[in-house]
Amino acid sequence: MKGAKNKQVVKETERRIIANDPEHNAQYNYAKNYIKTSKYTFFNFVPYNLFEQFQRLANFYFLCLLVLQLIPVISSLTPVTTAVPLIGVLMVTAIKDAYDDYQRHRSDNQVNRRKSLVLRNGQLKEEIWSKVEVGDVIRMENNQFVAADILLLSTSEPNGLCYIETSELDGETNLKCKQCLPETESLGQDDARIGAFRGEIRCEPPNNQLNKFEGVLNWEGKQHSLDNDKILLRGCILRNTDWCYGVVIFAGKDTKLMMNSGKTKFKRTSIDRLLNFIILGIVFFLLSMCLFCTVACGIWESLTGQYFRVFLPWDSLIPPDPPGGPAVIALLVFFSYAIVLNTVVPISLYVSVEVIRLCQSFLINWDDAMYHPPTRNHAKARTTTLNEELGQIEYIFSDKTGTLTQNIMSFNKCSIAGRSYGDIIDPRTGEFLEISEYTRPVDLSRNPYHESNFKFYDQSLVDALDGGDPDCEAFFRLLSLCHTVMPEESRGKLEYQAQSPDEGALVSAARNFGFVFKSRTPNSITIFAKGVQEVYELLCILDFNNVRKRMSVILKRDGKIRLFCKGADSIIYERLKEGQDSLKYHTQEHLDRFAGDGLRTLCLAYKDLDEEYFLDWKGRHHEAAVSLERREEKLDEIYEEIEKNLILLGATAIEDKLQDGVPQTIANLAVAGIKIWVLTGDKQETAINIGYSCQLLTDDMLEVFIIDAHNASDVEDQLRKYREEIRNVTATKQPQTNLSVVTFSDEGVGQDNLSDAGESNGGFALVINGHSLVWALNPKLELLFLEVASQCRSVICCRVTPLQKAMVVDLVKRYKKAVTLAVGDGANDVSMIKTAHIGVGISGQEGLQAVLASDYSVAQFRFLERLLLVHGRWSYYRMCKFLRYFFYKNFAFTLCHFWFAFFVAFSAQTLFDPMFISVYNLFYTSMPVLALGIFEQDVNAKNSIKFPRLYTPGLLNALFNKREFFRSALHGFLTSCVLFFIPFGAYYNGMDQEGRSMADQQTFGSVVATILVIVVTMQMCLDTSYWTLFNHITIWGSLIFYLLLQYFYNFVIGGEYVGALSKAMGEPLFYFTTLLTIVVLMLPVMAWRFYWVDVRPNLSDKVRFKQRHDAKMASKRSEHDMLRTPSARRSRRSVRSGYAFAHQEGFGRLITSGKIMRPRNMKQGPMSNGRATNLRPDNKISLVAPAPSTVEV
């Protein structure tokens, strides 16, 4: 036992593995490579599911009620009336839950059954992923997923390098480089040698830190240090590497990918939680009625009942003495009334809710408006329990890369020698023309290396190059030489592998304009400049990093040494040679305009070097490079020395292409009152640029706060400072006046033109870095951070880890009590997706991890607009309307028994036929309300998007809350009074036409039951705004079905109330009573609703009126009323750095060392993986949100 305990301690603090030794590794019971995101198994489904279902108070209540009904002495109803509905509810819910979990099992199996080559006994054997174990050596081939977290042993590439794509982990598609130990590189792909490898690996225990690994390898008597550069993580894809071998370190749930996934949580909607509270309140109300009836029964039996024992004898269980007998009878009556009045807690409510949710999920799945043809992906509801929560989202937490953007860079514009290229100018007006899909790009096809996807629209740049403009040639020559891109020939086509998409886009642009980067060695770079081969000797690479914000190369050709440099405008301008004021002024103008358009900008410059000076500098550079002290500082000083007195060439402007419709979607969601926070792993400049492009950040904002401190006190100081600024602005602001009239206009496209919408301009934005967020999320500062962030219109968190994303979401969930939604596309978003109330996965190019963990999946971010504003709002609206009506009809039905108790000595005698009681909620009134819950809509989909403020009631929880429940219950209470007492008065001394009395209990009960069905059906007609064929069939069919079933049950089967209803319907008294009751009940309801719609209409009423008006005028609409699609861009000032390389450090060190080189001959061939440019912005058009309307309502 002691040994086991010690072993457990070792396992928790350190992992020990011997490669190819399963017996040794088995003693530690490391997790296998099997993953599980499902909740149930075949064996635990029934108990686990029943346990979850009986957490619903209604289900548990009816279970207790069923037990009571099994006791004959207190039950006046057969147990079947409760057992059948309860079993039906449990079965339907269980089937739905089983279906949901079956889908998760399928997804898990799809991953677990992927194939992998595992080395067993010195031979490669194909195994499924789930059978891979810790300590196994596996072989991976190009374009394969990595099956587990592995230590790299050997690769097909020189110096043990391999390239991976980490889109599953961080959403980034740019390649990253890994390198194995030189000692294991020699193993190559010799299966026998690798099979004999018995290295012992000691490393850290499983954790969720993607960028950190510590361990040692003991092999052949030597100890080798292991770090993150030698580890391939599960979910990565091997790229541009023919093969590699590795030892499995972590498998299955222990992998860093799964450790970041979080635990599957049981999610409930706010309506579910409210229903539990309401059901609890209804139970107390029921017990109160039962207690009242118990006391009243005891009093009646004491005062009157004991004297009628000859006619109403007491049961043998009842004590004969007066004090004890009435008390026991009253006690038994308590339980009897608990059974009779049980329908006030509707068991069919939950099964109806589940059916409605299931159908709403199908409507989401079938919506062709959310279908994405390029990926052939529909929107998919992966759960059926959260639909109405989509209509109450207050906070959206979004990833950036791959979610808001396509992570595709396109060369858009440039400035060369003070002249701007890339815009199309109208020769008549001199104004910029907007580029559309119909604009013809320039023809670059004469270049054999051109890419068909590359688009550029300014012919003047091509003409300048054709004319031999030296500045333009120098510009593109610099782009083709100053980089760390690696070329590769694949299937006869030249392809580039860049450390960042930005750099790839610039080299691709140079290629398309005739300056083709062809190959490189550790000491040379070869390009084809307008068809002529040029070979440059590579003397030095001054690599990029986040501090330098620039990179340079020093090249030699024809005896001339030249330094080429590119970097952020602020960095390059500080290092320019004197006497370039005019060029600097014009270039700065262009940079401001480019950055204002949301483009990512770089400045290009060069400098000729004297060979003697360079040799001296190179010697000092070498001394700094091998220095053991202050190496980085010394290198920075050396770099700073040579990167001075530069000559400016120009600037580039590339676009990180947003996904289609992102600005419009964000603008519309903001108008709807939804706050959007972007949580990204990208650096600050990149995130801010995208913030402006997608309109999270705008120029009308009063301030963009940036928190970038590195310690707790500085972060606190910044937060307090910004809080004071917000308070000062808020204190001096004029109070808003809420108007009752709402005006819509198509003129202000992209603006919230609701006059009662509050402030639509100004406001603040917050940008916070990951290292600052560590302190901001500290318990001491988290409330201060949340206070500042919640008062900002937009929040962008940069350089955040997957765990920090989840912590931010959890912070808002805990303190704001708001419904949250997280949307992402990579494995780094899984924790955030699982933490939020609702998780949405983008089913695009970034893998399946986010989708597998999500509640809903869509192919593009823009579909989130329709998912929330249409399906979410409709689902919430339908569910609330359904619940209000359901409680109304059940109170109206059940309380008739309560009124009847006053006339039957509180004896628990039922007013209605037991058959009617059993099927009232199942057959007579279930289908119309189901049709309402599935198909109802106040306004159509087009207007739901056009008027985003319609979403506001969901944010305010206005359509169903405690107040709305009490109103529905009160309506049902009053309805039951009228339903009971008008027929009671009519039939109290009622006579038929032949003089026979009609004042019997069965006739009275049948009359009240019939009028009840008619009244609640008419109420359904008033509640239905959107009539479909199903509504007509269910509403009118329910009335017909009621009459047919009554006839069949009473006359065919021989029910207790046989002939009662047919007798009543043969007399005029029945029709008079029915008409009077309907008028008394319906007239006030109609008058009340007409008053509110006519005098105090809400936004929904106004839009519905406009919708009817538009439908009538549809035939008269003319073509010019239709709006063209506005540009997604607007002109604005530049308030941020345009420089935004996505990577941290380039390939420079590896290039100059020769380790990254391939010993292969590059063949010439055209390249096909070009970059498509986006539309040119129109400086005169504001950002668009779908226009509200042209009518003032």
Side-chain angles (χ1 to χ4, degrees):
M1 188 70 182
K2 185 177 180 181
K5 184 178 292 186
N6 289 338
K7 187 184 298 182
Q8 181 67 23
V9 172
V10 171
K11 179 183 175 183
E12 290 178 352
T13 58
E14 183 181 58
R15 173 157 289 202
R16 295 191 174 197
I17 304 162
I18 295 181
N20 294 308
D21 191 346
E23 291 79 12
H24 174 271
N25 300 325
Q27 65 180 313
Y28 297 103
N29 294 318
Y30 294 137
K32 295 192 178 351
N33 206 35
Y34 177 83
I35 65 162
K36 177 176 177 287
T37 61
S38 55
K39 290 196 296 184
Y40 308 112
T41 66
F42 180 80
F43 299 102
N44 73 7
F45 174 75
V46 172
Y48 190 14
N49 187 259
L50 285 176
F51 172 75
E52 283 188 346
Q53 290 204 56
F54 282 118
Q55 285 183 323
R56 288 176 169 168
L57 292 180
N59 289 346
F60 182 73
Y61 164 77
F62 278 102
L63 180 65
C64 298
L65 193 68
L66 179 61
V67 173
L68 288 178
Q69 284 187 283
L70 295 173
I71 305 173
V73 71
I74 63 172
S75 178
S76 57
L77 289 173
T78 172
V80 175
T81 59
T82 300
V84 171
L86 178 60
I87 293 172
V89 168
L90 295 177
M91 286 185 64
V92 169
T93 307
I95 291 171
K96 180 194 70 66
D97 289 342
Y99 173 78
D100 285 347
D101 209 56
Y102 172 69
Q103 298 300 319
R104 296 189 188 97
H105 274 287
R106 286 185 60 186
S107 298
D108 289 346
N109 288 337
Q110 181 182 353
V111 175
N112 287 326
R113 298 187 71 82
R114 285 177 178 169
K115 303 295 184 181
S116 181
L117 291 173
V118 183
L119 204 60
R120 297 276 163 84
N121 300 320
Q123 293 184 340
L124 286 174
K125 180 182 177 183
E126 190 173 70
E127 292 276 17
I128 58 176
W129 277 22
S130 59
K131 292 188 177 181
V132 173
E133 298 179 357
V134 171
D136 284 346
V137 175
I138 61 176
R139 174 188 169 108
M140 290 150 294
E141 297 180 345
N142 197 29
N143 297 324
Q144 281 188 347
F145 279 97
V146 178
D149 292 356
I150 68 168
L151 169 65
L152 194 60
L153 292 179
S154 62
T155 77
S156 61
E157 304 307 294
N159 303 297
L161 296 172
C162 78
Y163 305 94
I164 57 170
E165 180 184 306
T166 59
S167 59
E168 279 271 356
L169 296 171
D170 54 22
E172 296 182 3
T173 55
N174 49 291
L175 298 187
K176 295 177 174 61
C177 186
K178 299 286 184 177
Q179 185 175 22
C180 66
L181 285 167
E183 289 77 10
T184 62
E185 177 194 352
S186 60
L187 294 174
Q189 55 179 333
D190 187 334
D191 293 344
R193 290 185 63 196
I194 297 176
F197 177 72
R198 290 293 185 274
E200 182 187 13
I201 300 161
R202 297 172 58 190
C203 66
E204 61 189 13
N207 60 73
N208 60 5
Q209 299 183 50
L210 296 174
N211 299 315
K212 174 181 171 292
F213 181 84
E214 294 178 355
V216 293
L217 170 66
N218 293 308
W219 184 45
E220 296 181 340
K222 294 183 180 180
Q223 191 174 80
H224 308 280
S225 176
L226 303 177
D227 56 27
N228 199 53
D229 286 339
K230 299 168 181 62
I231 301 297
L232 304 187
L233 300 182
R234 178 187 177 119
C236 298
I237 305 174
L238 198 65
R239 298 292 193 199
N240 301 329
T241 306
D242 293 336
W243 52 263
C244 72
Y245 286 81
V247 182
V248 175
I249 304 292
F250 303 122
K253 64 183 180 64
D254 288 344
T255 59
K256 293 182 183 288
L257 176 70
M258 298 305 294
M259 296 284 282
N260 272 290
S261 295
K263 188 177 179 181
T264 301
K265 299 179 181 178
F266 183 62
K267 295 183 178 181
R268 286 197 179 282
T269 66
S270 56
I271 284 184
D272 268 338
R273 293 188 289 271
L274 177 60
L275 278 180
N276 271 348
F277 177 82
I278 287 174
I279 294 299
L280 190 61
I282 291 176
V283 169
F284 280 113
F285 174 67
L286 170 65
L287 295 177
S288 301
M289 287 195 296
C290 293
L291 185 62
F292 174 83
C293 291
T294 295
V295 174
C297 177
I299 294 173
W300 188 88
E301 289 290 350
S302 298
L303 299 178
T304 308
Q306 62 173 315
Y307 304 113
F308 284 84
R309 276 185 280 182
V310 176
F311 303 100
L312 296 171
W314 289 354
D315 194 276
S316 59
L317 295 174
I318 307 301
D321 58 300
V328 173
I329 291 173
L331 180 63
L332 295 176
V333 161
F334 177 87
F335 294 104
S336 298
Y337 267 109
I339 294 171
V340 170
L341 300 175
N342 77 81
T343 49
V344 77
V345 183
I347 189 171
S348 60
L349 170 66
Y350 282 106
V351 70
S352 300
V353 166
E354 298 300 343
V355 169
I356 289 171
R357 285 172 172 167
L358 182 63
C359 293
Q360 289 172 347
S361 297
F362 286 136
L363 293 177
I364 292 174
N365 296 345
W366 296 337
D367 189 353
D368 286 339
M370 292 194 291
Y371 175 69
H372 189 236
T375 58
R376 298 183 179 179
N377 282 325
H378 275 96
K380 184 172 180 58
R382 294 173 48 81
T383 181
T384 57
T385 58
L386 303 172
N387 296 328
E388 66 271 13
E389 198 100 300
L390 289 171
Q392 297 180 275
I393 303 299
E394 190 171 344
Y395 285 88
I396 292 178
F397 299 91
S398 175
D399 179 38
K400 182 194 75 68
T401 305
T403 302
L404 299 179
T405 68
Q406 301 178 35
N407 204 26
I408 296 175
M409 309 296 173
S410 61
F411 184 83
N412 197 291
K413 299 176 184 179
C414 61
S415 172
I416 304 174
R419 181 177 176 183
S420 175
Y421 297 95
D423 293 312
I424 301 179
I425 300 176
D426 189 330
R428 296 171 299 173
T429 63
E431 294 184 349
F432 293 134
L433 294 177
E434 182 180 359
I435 296 174
S436 70
E437 58 182 315
Y438 303 108
T439 306
R440 180 178 297 178
V442 296
D443 183 12
L444 301 171
S445 60
R446 58 185 172 176
N447 175 4
Y449 292 97
H450 90 283
E451 299 163 301
S452 59
N453 290 332
F454 182 84
K455 299 287 191 300
F456 197 79
Y457 298 92
D458 188 354
Q459 182 64 37
S460 62
L461 181 55
V462 178
D463 294 340
L465 286 168
D466 290 345
D469 186 308
D471 293 319
C472 292
E473 290 185 353
F475 180 90
F476 285 108
R477 185 173 278 108
L478 186 152
L479 289 182
S480 67
L481 293 169
C482 184
H483 56 78
T484 57
V485 171
M486 297 298 299
E488 181 183 54
E489 192 167 329
S490 176
R491 298 177 184 176
K493 297 177 181 177
L494 180 62
E495 295 183 356
Y496 295 144
Q497 298 299 336
Q499 180 76 344
S500 73
D502 310 58
E503 195 164 53
L506 294 176
V507 178
S508 175
R511 164 190 181 156
N512 282 278
F513 283 106
F515 291 78
V516 183
F517 167 56
K518 196 66 174 62
S519 64
R520 71 159 73 241
T521 70
N523 302 312
S524 69
I525 297 178
T526 301
I527 67 170
F528 279 79
K530 301 173 75 171
V532 178
Q533 178 174 303
E534 297 180 359
V535 179
Y536 292 80
E537 182 183 351
L538 178 59
L539 301 178
C540 192
I541 294 180
L542 285 59
D543 210 356
F544 167 88
N545 64 41
N546 265 343
V547 178
R548 285 169 39 77
K549 293 188 177 180
R550 64 190 185 277
M551 78 157 289
S552 300
V553 294
I554 302 176
L555 303 170
K556 182 176 182 180
R557 183 168 184 264
D558 297 336
K560 294 182 179 179
I561 300 176
R562 177 168 287 186
L563 178 145
F564 294 103
C565 183
K566 65 182 180 185
D569 50 3
S570 57
I571 300 296
I572 299 298
Y573 266 52
E574 292 173 356
R575 290 159 175 78
L576 291 179
K577 190 176 182 180
E578 297 288 338
Q580 304 179 70
D581 295 341
S582 176
L583 177 58
K584 287 166 62 176
Y585 173 78
H586 290 296
T587 304
Q588 187 62 52
E589 274 191 333
H590 299 156
L591 283 167
D592 291 342
R593 182 156 56 84
F594 296 160
D597 290 338
L599 304 178
R600 299 150 73 102
T601 58
L602 285 176
C603 277
L604 309 184
Y606 71 96
K607 174 185 180 181
D608 289 322
L609 299 175
D610 177 77
E611 185 166 0
E612 183 179 347
Y613 167 76
F614 172 74
L615 292 174
D616 175 63
W617 177 89
K618 182 68 174 175
R620 288 182 285 117
H621 172 266
H622 179 72
E623 291 177 7
V626 297
S627 173
L628 297 178
E629 296 180 359
R630 297 179 58 249
R631 179 184 298 175
E632 295 299 325
E633 292 87 341
K634 290 179 179 178
L635 282 174
D636 283 342
E637 292 172 4
I638 291 293
Y639 291 164
E640 190 74 28
E641 175 191 330
I642 202 168
E643 291 174 325
K644 287 182 177 178
N645 298 318
L646 303 175
I647 298 173
L648 183 63
L649 264 179
T652 63
I654 59 176
E655 179 183 16
D656 186 358
K657 293 186 67 175
L658 292 173
Q659 290 187 10
D660 293 340
V662 166
Q664 294 91 330
T665 298
I666 288 178
N668 240 17
L669 293 176
V671 172
I674 300 172
K675 301 177 180 67
I676 300 177
W677 292 22
V678 172
L679 312 178
T680 177
D682 275 340
K683 66 193 186 94
Q684 179 179 306
E685 291 87 348
T686 307
I688 291 177
N689 277 340
I690 295 300
Y692 277 96
S693 297
C694 65
Q695 295 300 300
L696 274 171
L697 306 177
T698 60
D699 280 331
D700 56 31
M701 286 181 168
L702 299 175
E703 191 69 53
V704 176
F705 301 134
I706 295 179
I707 298 176
D708 53 6
H710 287 78
N711 57 67
S713 59
D714 290 345
V715 169
E716 183 177 6
D717 291 342
Q718 287 183 326
L719 286 171
R720 292 189 183 280
K721 173 188 172 185
Y722 296 149
R723 183 176 65 178
E724 288 306 312
E725 289 187 30
I726 293 173
R727 285 178 176 176
N728 293 337
V729 171
T730 306
T732 58
K733 194 175 295 182
Q734 293 294 328
Q736 294 283 334
T737 302
N738 290 332
L739 305 179
S740 60
V741 176
V742 182
T743 304
F744 305 95
S745 171
D746 281 337
E747 302 299 325
V749 177
Q751 301 175 12
D752 179 4
N753 292 314
L754 298 169
S755 58
D756 63 349
E759 183 190 8
S760 60
N761 294 320
F764 302 93
L766 178 69
V767 178
I768 181 168
N769 278 286
H771 52 76
S772 304
L773 194 61
V774 171
W775 304 111
L777 293 176
N778 186 284
K780 295 181 180 179
L781 295 181
E782 61 180 12
L783 285 177
L784 176 61
F785 166 64
L786 185 61
E787 180 184 355
V788 174
S790 60
Q791 295 183 70
C792 295
R793 281 173 51 188
S794 303
V795 176
I796 299 177
C797 302
C798 318
R799 285 291 175 208
V800 292
T801 66
L803 188 59
Q804 283 179 320
K805 291 184 178 185
M807 291 172 68
V808 171
V809 176
D810 185 62
L811 177 67
V812 175
K813 277 180 66 177
R814 280 188 286 121
Y815 292 110
K816 299 301 290 185
K817 305 300 180 186
V819 181
T820 58
L821 180 147
V823 55
D825 68 322
N828 60 328
D829 304 314
V830 168
S831 293
M832 171 177 74
I833 285 172
K834 288 187 174 182
T835 302
H837 292 96
I838 291 180
V840 177
I842 303 293
S843 54
Q845 304 171 354
E846 309 295 345
L848 293 173
Q849 287 297 323
V851 172
L852 291 177
S854 67
D855 304 301
Y856 299 87
S857 64
V858 293
Q860 295 271 286
F861 182 84
R862 61 188 165 94
F863 294 139
L864 202 61
E865 176 185 54
R866 186 174 179 88
L867 184 67
L868 300 187
L869 301 188
V870 178
H871 290 284
R873 198 185 72 83
W874 277 352
S875 295
Y876 174 70
Y877 174 77
R878 290 163 178 164
M879 187 60 70
C880 293
K881 211 167 189 181
F882 161 81
L883 292 172
R884 294 200 304 264
Y885 175 81
F886 206 97
F887 285 117
Y888 152 76
K889 76 181 181 70
N890 270 64
F891 271 82
F893 163 57
T894 305
L895 291 180
C896 288
H897 291 295
F898 181 71
W899 307 127
F900 191 54
F902 288 90
F903 301 94
V904 293
F906 302 96
S907 60
Q909 170 68 42
T910 59
L911 170 63
F912 303 124
D913 179 2
M915 172 67 177
F916 180 84
I917 295 173
S918 300
V919 300
Y920 171 77
N921 276 321
L922 287 179
F923 297 132
Y924 297 153
T925 58
S926 63
M927 297 310 293
V929 74
L930 283 177
L932 177 90
I934 296 170
F935 299 108
E936 175 68 357
Q937 53 180 262
D938 52 347
V939 300
N940 59 27
K942 177 183 176 183
N943 283 321
S944 293
I945 294 176
K946 197 174 184 181
F947 300 95
R949 296 289 293 182
L950 288 167
Y951 192 82
T952 304
L955 299 178
L956 302 176
N957 205 22
L959 299 185
F960 187 75
N961 47 44
K962 297 184 185 75
R963 179 181 176 184
E964 290 298 322
F965 164 73
F966 283 121
R967 288 178 60 179
S968 299
L970 180 62
H971 187 194
F973 176 86
L974 296 175
T975 299
S976 69
C977 286
V978 176
L979 275 172
F980 181 84
F981 287 106
I982 288 183
F984 181 82
Y987 280 84
Y988 186 70
N989 291 315
M991 308 282 287
D992 63 13
Q993 296 181 56
E994 298 178 1
R996 291 187 295 263
S997 172
M998 298 186 66
D1000 64 276
Q1001 185 262 337
Q1002 290 189 350
T1003 302
F1004 175 60
S1006 298
V1007 170
V1008 174
T1010 304
I1011 298 176
L1012 169 65
V1013 172
I1014 294 173
V1015 166
V1016 296
T1017 303
M1018 290 193 65
Q1019 182 67 42
M1020 172 57 62
C1021 295
L1022 290 179
D1023 284 345
T1024 302
S1025 304
Y1026 183 70
W1027 285 83
T1028 67
L1029 178 63
F1030 293 99
N1031 294 93
H1032 285 288
I1033 291 174
T1034 55
I1035 288 175
W1036 313 123
S1038 291
L1039 292 175
I1040 297 172
F1041 183 72
Y1042 166 74
L1043 297 174
L1044 291 177
L1045 194 61
Q1046 283 290 313
Y1047 175 84
F1048 177 82
Y1049 174 70
N1050 288 313
F1051 286 95
V1052 177
I1053 298 178
E1056 297 177 10
Y1057 282 50
V1058 61
L1061 181 59
S1062 58
K1063 174 188 173 185
M1065 293 182 71
E1067 300 297 326
L1069 179 62
F1070 169 80
Y1071 300 100
F1072 172 77
T1073 304
T1074 301
L1075 181 62
L1076 179 62
T1077 307
I1078 290 173
V1079 169
V1080 171
L1081 287 173
M1082 292 293 106
L1083 201 59
V1085 174
M1086 295 175 68
W1088 175 263
R1089 295 194 179 183
F1090 275 120
Y1091 168 78
W1092 282 100
V1093 171
D1094 193 50
V1095 179
R1096 300 280 299 276
N1098 58 29
L1099 181 58
S1100 178
D1101 297 326
K1102 296 172 183 177
V1103 175
R1104 192 159 56 246
F1105 170 79
K1106 178 187 178 301
Q1107 186 173 298
R1108 290 197 297 267
H1109 173 75
D1110 288 349
K1112 294 177 183 178
M1113 302 298 293
S1115 60
K1116 299 180 181 180
R1117 285 181 182 164
S1118 56
E1119 200 74 24
H1120 66 271
D1121 289 330
M1122 304 301 293
L1123 284 174
R1124 65 176 174 82
T1125 302
S1127 169
R1129 289 280 169 72
R1130 51 173 297 183
S1131 176
R1132 55 180 173 268
R1133 67 182 185 274
S1134 173
V1135 294
R1136 74 275 185 199
S1137 167
Y1139 184 85
F1141 261 14
H1143 62 278
Q1144 289 297 292
E1145 187 174 353
F1147 285 135
R1149 178 176 56 84
L1150 292 171
I1151 290 172
T1152 52
S1153 69
K1155 291 182 178 181
I1156 203 168
M1157 295 302 135
R1158 298 170 176 272
R1160 299 173 184 170
N1161 293 324
M1162 303 297 292
K1163 296 182 180 179
Q1164 293 187 17
M1167 178 178 169
S1168 62
N1169 63 335
R1171 300 286 188 265
T1173 187
N1174 222 14
L1175 299 183
R1176 187 192 66 75
D1178 188 334
N1179 292 333
K1180 296 190 175 183
I1181 296 182
S1182 298
L1183 172 70
V1184 47
S1189 171
T1190 57
V1191 181
E1192 183 174 301
V1193 187

